[in-house]
Amino acid sequence: MAYHLPENIQAILFDMDGVLLDSERVWRKYTPHFWADCGIQELPDIVANQIYGISMSEEYEIVQKYIGISMTLEEYVAAYDKYSLRVYTDAIIALDLEKTLTNLKSRGLKLAIVTSSLGSWVDL
């Protein structure tokens, strides 16, 4: 794929989930199991519409505000973490990612991952 970048670009930041890795689709597969672990059978639309693409701590606050769960933030994160190995094992890396990153690095650009995911998930 050919693409033009402005000459003043020195670095490119990539989001991990949904950009470098097709993990969003896989997370949706496990989400009902996660919510069940939290004691939530159905997620109200008002919550579902606010929690996409935010950090777990922000998500936790929204869930607490609208639903109220008995878990602490640490327990909530641990429940999420339970599914991370499955998600990041099943997720597919973006098409031609290695070729794209190699091309960008060969142009002297700095590359970095930005994510609200846990560091251990990035390592997976």
Side-chain angles (χ1 to χ4, degrees):
M1 168 194 290
Y3 43 87
H4 173 74
L5 294 173
E7 290 183 26
N8 62 341
I9 298 291
Q10 296 178 9
I12 298 180
L13 306 177
F14 294 92
D15 187 21
M16 185 177 78
D17 293 296
V19 175
L20 295 178
L21 195 61
D22 185 15
S23 54
E24 298 285 346
R25 176 188 51 80
V26 184
W27 272 116
R28 283 192 290 276
K29 173 180 165 183
Y30 293 107
T31 299
H33 306 287
F34 165 73
W35 292 121
D37 287 356
C38 295
I40 300 169
Q41 297 310 311
E42 187 174 338
L43 198 62
D45 287 343
I46 193 166
V47 174
N49 293 335
Q50 293 183 59
I51 63 172
Y52 182 77
I54 62 175
S55 71
M56 280 186 287
S57 60
E58 292 170 312
E59 181 178 305
Y60 176 79
E61 290 176 19
I62 291 169
V63 171
Q64 279 291 41
K65 177 180 176 180
Y66 289 101
I67 301 172
I69 57 176
S70 61
M71 303 174 103
T72 65
L73 175 59
E74 291 75 22
E75 292 167 331
Y76 190 79
V77 170
Y80 248 115
D81 201 35
K82 174 180 166 181
Y83 293 100
S84 66
L85 179 59
R86 296 177 195 172
V87 169
Y88 293 110
T89 299
D90 293 354
I92 298 169
I93 293 175
L95 183 65
D96 292 329
L97 179 61
E98 187 173 348
K99 181 178 174 182
T100 299
L101 297 177
T102 300
N103 181 302
L104 293 171
K105 283 195 68 92
S106 74
R107 296 177 182 204
L109 295 167
K110 304 274 187 204
L111 308 177
I113 296 174
V114 294
T115 183
S116 62
S117 295
L118 300 178
S120 60
W121 299 359
V122 175
D123 291 343
L124 286 173

